[in-house]
Amino acid sequence: MLHKTRGVALSYIRYRESSIIAKIYTEAFGIQTYIVNGVRSSKSRNNRIALFQPLTLLDMVVYHKSKEDTIHRISEMKCYQPFQSLPYDVVKSSLALFVTEMLGKTLKEEESNPILFEFIEESVTYLDLAESAYENFHIQFLVQLASFLGFGIETVEDLESELKNNHFPHLPDAIERNATMQLLTQHYGLNVSLDRKRRIMILEKLLFFYKIHMEALGEIKSLEVLREVLK
């Protein structure tokens, strides 16, 4: 059957000469995998590989045979909110790669979750349009995403208690603790003054916290790029 749904492009791998297999988080079906033919052909009028760049927001008509199928097909697609700055700004694009990798590793449900989709959509839109004060975006994104994944962080004390119980080696100073408290409770755009070392440490604590709750999270390959870009 054909279904209309919105989606957020996460990743893709090449398949045969001109096709790809794409992972997309959809509003109607949760995380899904699609085979898309002909998108890498330079001679084809359907050369649409840019639609599958990280976090592209898509309107799609998709063909799903049954829940038992693991790979589906896309009948129609278009970007419904073209990016203004995200692909062209090295900091934003690095943040987008990190967020994309985290979503790809943590989103497992193959069912509709409109509230989660709306959160991801609004987060992507914020990052694209923000002109300043987005250097802590990835930290606040992880904090909010954890709530959707079932292990939300209520207070700094709760976070530190879990880290301590699982032998995380670093204790925060007063500046880091105060910044963490603000990042846990405020929306995007909050101007929290953090030096690079403390920002990285807060991020590493959150990733450690994620690994406590998701043992299969594994290595975050984009983290090193993020460290370099945010120096």
Side-chain angles (χ1 to χ4, degrees), residues 3-18:
H3 306 269
K4 290 184 178 181
T5 183
R6 294 184 297 172
V8 180
L10 297 182
S11 62
Y12 68 85
I13 58 173
R14 295 182 178 184
Y15 178 69
R16 295 183 177 173
E17 184 176 350
S18 62

Side-chain angles (χ1 to χ4, degrees), residues 5 12 56 162 176-177 224:
T5 183
Y12 68 85
T56 301
E162 284 215 46
E176 183 184 323
R177 172 183 273 263
E224 192 57 41

Side-chain angles (χ1 to χ4, degrees), residues 121-135:
E121 179 191 47
E122 289 179 351
S123 298
V124 171
T125 301
Y126 165 78
L127 180 60
D128 181 48
L129 298 179
E131 297 181 357
S132 61
Y134 54 83
E135 60 272 9

